[in-house]
Each structure stands twice: as structure tokens, then as C-alpha cells.
């Protein structure tokens, strides 16, 4: 089996597929640079990402798959799971080598795995849309930080840009150390160098950067949740099913 090492980008993965056909490779193990462990007894092929090669593969897929499946490929890629990179590689080869309609064959391992992973990433995206709580800074920018299991930030842009079109906001991924900044016109990718000051256990910025009214707003929000809670109808098992505990650290109503 040949080992292909790529740079961990979608462009790199698609380029690896292109190289596989160009080299007439049979069995290939695809590994990202992050997860690659050199083996002195086995030489690896370093995949160099090339936009033109990646686009040829992507266009070829688009001729056989509808837009939902193309989105599924992208969502599965954002899982960042090493096994899913291999599944994507095999799935794409399977689609290219098969007649149209092969994506409906859920008896194929890779069709099933990509479908399942895409749903997992999609579910994480929806949870982030529901559980993100912003804090207003002294600069009148609304800020929230998250630590999602998957790299869902790119999937959140449309939702928050449409919902908070008249407010500047930042959503920062502490785990991956990058964020999104909306300046009322466009969304840009940003990085900070002060995340060490953040506590992922608390949905809180340092007090000195918060708006003077932020503490009052947080208190009012907590009071609202307490007032609508009906103790007699409390069902903690059902509540945790819809709001898993690992997301509670983002929710200001769960703090204090």
C-alpha cells in the first residue's frame, strides 16, 4: 500500500485523488501531515496541493453528485478526523469509478461513513447556532468563544451574518485558535494572541474589556430563564438530551 501525505486541506485531499489516478496507484493510505509518523522502511509520497488539480476533481464530482452530496463532502471534511480523510478519499474514488447514482448505494462502506459523518458535523453546527451566547465588549462588538468537536466555524457564517446583520460580532474557536469577525459588511478570519487569558470553562471575557452594562444583561438573562422554568415539569434527562452538558459552559444561564 502506498502512503500519501497531504497538508490537511480540502484542496490537498482533492489533489491526492488526482495524483492517485495520475500515478495509477491501487491501494493508498491517506495521512495528513499532522498525523503522519515517518517509517524508515516505507517511503511516503508528499502530495503538493495544486488548485488546478483539486478543481478538476471537484468539477468531476459535481457532474455526478447533487449539491447536497457536495455539501456532505465538505461537512465530512470539516470533521478533521483522520479516518474520515481516508473515507473521503475512498468515497471520491468510488464515485469517479462508478456509474451515476452510486452515492445511493449505502451498502458501500464509504457512502455510509461519509453520510454519517456529514450528519454529525451538521448537528454540531446547529447546536452551535443555538448555544452560542454573545457578550458585548466596551468596543460595542459582540463576542463569543466556542470549542466545537468539529471545525464548524465556516458553516456558521451565513446564519450569524443574516441574524445579526446590524451588529459587529466575533466568534472565536479556542481549540483551533482562529475566529470570524463580522464588520457590518463582510466576514473575515482572524486570530488572537490573548486566548491564554480565556477560561474555556466560562463563557466570559476579562471584565476590563466588557461593556459596563454586560453584567446587568447577563443577570437579566438568568432571571428570565429562572422565571420561565416550571419546577414541577422539570425533566433533567430530556433536558440533557437536547442540551448536552458539554455545551453548558457556553450558556450564561447555566453559570453561577
Amino acid at each position: 500500500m502506498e502512503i500519501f501525505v497531504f497538508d490537511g486541506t480540502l484542496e490537498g485531499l482533492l489533489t491526492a485523488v488526482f495524483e492517485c489516478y495520475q500515478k495509477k496507484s491501487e491501494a493508498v493510505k491517506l495521512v495528513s501531515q499532522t498525523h503522519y509518523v515517518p517509517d524508515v522502511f516505507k517511503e511516503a509520497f508528499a502530495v503538493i496541493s495544486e488548485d488546478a488539480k483539486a478543481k478538476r476533481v471537484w468539477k468531476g464530482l459535481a457532474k455526478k453528485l447533487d449539491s447536497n452530496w457536495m455539501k456532505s463532502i465538505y461537512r465530512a471534511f470539516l470533521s478533521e478526523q483522520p479516518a474520515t480523510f481516508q473515507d473521503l478519499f475512498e468515497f471520491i474514488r468510488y464515485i469517479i469509478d462508478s456509474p451515476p447514482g452510486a452515492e445511493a448505494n449505502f451498502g458501500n462502506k464509504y457512502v455510509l461513513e461519509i453520510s454519517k459523518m456529514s450528519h454529525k458535523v451538521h448537528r454540531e453546527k446547529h447546536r452551535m447556532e443555538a448555544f452560542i451566547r454573545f457578550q458585548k465588549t466596551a468596543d460595542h462588538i459582540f463576542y463569543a468563544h466556542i470549542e466545537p468537536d468539529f471545525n464548524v466555524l465556516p458553516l456558521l457564517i451565513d446564519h450569524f451574518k443574516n441574524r445579526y446583520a446590524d451588529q459587529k460580532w466575533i466568534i472565536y474557536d479556542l481549540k483551533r485558535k482562529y475566529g470570524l469577525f463580522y464588520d457590518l459588511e463582510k466576514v473575515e478570519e482572524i486570530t488572537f494572541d490573548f486566548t491564554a487569558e480565556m477560561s474555556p470553562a466560562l463563557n466570559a471575557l476579562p471584565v476590563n474589556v466588557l461593556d459596563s452594562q454586560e453584567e446587568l444583561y447577563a443577570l437579566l438573562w438568568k432571571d428570565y430563564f429562572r422565571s420561565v422554568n416550571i419546577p414541577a415539569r422539570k425533566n433533567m434527562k430530556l433536558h440533557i438530551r437536547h442540551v448536552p452538558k458539554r455545551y453548558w459552559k457556553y450558556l450564561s444561564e447555566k453559570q453561577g
Side-chain angles (χ1 to χ4, degrees):
M1 175 176 286
E2 294 183 64
I3 299 175
F4 281 20
V5 181
F6 77 117
D7 58 7
T9 66
L10 181 59
E11 183 186 39
L13 192 151
L14 295 171
T15 303
V17 174
F18 185 95
E19 298 288 1
C20 172
Y21 284 98
Q22 192 166 61
K23 288 164 59 67
K24 301 186 188 308
S25 302
E26 295 290 335
V28 171
K29 181 179 180 182
L30 184 67
V31 186
S32 69
Q33 290 172 353
T34 304
H35 299 97
Y36 175 59
V37 178
D39 184 341
V40 293
F41 300 106
K42 207 160 194 176
E43 189 175 352
F45 172 67
V47 177
I48 308 299
S49 293
E50 288 190 35
D51 189 52
K53 292 178 179 178
K55 282 182 177 176
R56 281 186 62 179
V57 174
W58 190 253
K59 286 180 180 177
L61 285 171
K63 290 178 181 176
K64 288 193 167 183
L65 299 174
D66 62 23
S67 59
N68 288 329
W69 266 105
M70 297 300 283
K71 290 176 184 175
S72 291
I73 291 174
Y74 183 52
R75 284 195 291 261
F77 172 77
L78 293 176
S79 73
E80 300 180 324
Q81 301 299 303
T84 303
F85 290 152
Q86 184 72 41
D87 291 337
L88 278 167
F89 183 82
E90 302 294 351
F91 172 77
I92 293 171
R93 291 183 66 185
Y94 171 68
I95 293 300
I96 291 174
D97 294 341
S98 303
E103 72 277 11
N105 176 20
F106 283 86
N108 180 278
K109 173 188 173 183
Y110 304 111
V111 173
L112 183 61
E113 291 300 324
I114 296 306
S115 177
K116 286 164 61 178
M117 184 53 77
S118 171
H119 280 95
K120 287 181 182 178
V121 175
H122 192 59
R123 185 166 60 235
E124 180 88 329
K125 165 190 174 284
H126 273 297
R127 283 174 169 167
M128 286 297 116
E129 290 173 352
F131 300 149
I132 281 178
R133 299 287 186 269
F134 287 100
Q135 291 182 295
K136 189 177 182 181
T137 69
D139 296 329
H140 305 293
I141 297 174
F142 289 84
Y143 173 88
H145 61 232
I146 58 176
E147 283 186 309
D149 291 342
F150 308 123
N151 183 20
V152 295
L153 266 187
L155 303 177
L156 299 177
I157 294 174
D158 288 344
H159 173 83
F160 286 100
K161 188 178 177 183
N162 293 333
R163 187 167 184 179
Y164 301 107
D166 59 346
Q167 297 164 350
K168 293 181 179 180
W169 50 258
I170 292 173
I171 303 173
Y172 202 80
D173 186 335
L174 293 179
K175 184 184 289 185
R176 296 168 183 82
K177 295 181 173 51
Y178 84 103
L180 302 173
F181 171 52
Y182 174 62
D183 64 0
L184 301 181
E185 294 182 357
K186 60 186 181 305
V187 177
E188 293 182 328
E189 192 173 307
I190 59 172
T191 57
F192 286 155
D193 58 3
F194 62 85
T195 53
E197 300 174 17
M198 303 292 187
S199 169
L202 298 173
N203 185 27
L205 282 169
V207 175
N208 61 329
V209 302
L210 288 176
D211 182 89
S212 59
Q213 297 293 308
E214 179 57 31
E215 188 176 353
L216 174 62
Y217 293 146
L219 184 62
L220 290 172
W221 184 247
K222 290 178 185 177
D223 284 347
Y224 165 75
F225 268 85
R226 274 195 289 269
S227 67
V228 299
N229 183 41
I230 303 174
R233 300 183 66 180
K234 189 174 182 178
N235 185 336
M236 187 54 70
K237 189 175 179 180
L238 181 64
H239 178 67
I240 291 176
R241 187 189 306 169
H242 290 290
V243 188
K245 280 190 173 181
R246 62 195 175 96
Y247 296 106
W248 288 14
K249 62 187 176 186
Y250 304 127
L251 307 179
S252 51
E253 62 269 27
K254 294 287 188 186
Q255 311 303 322

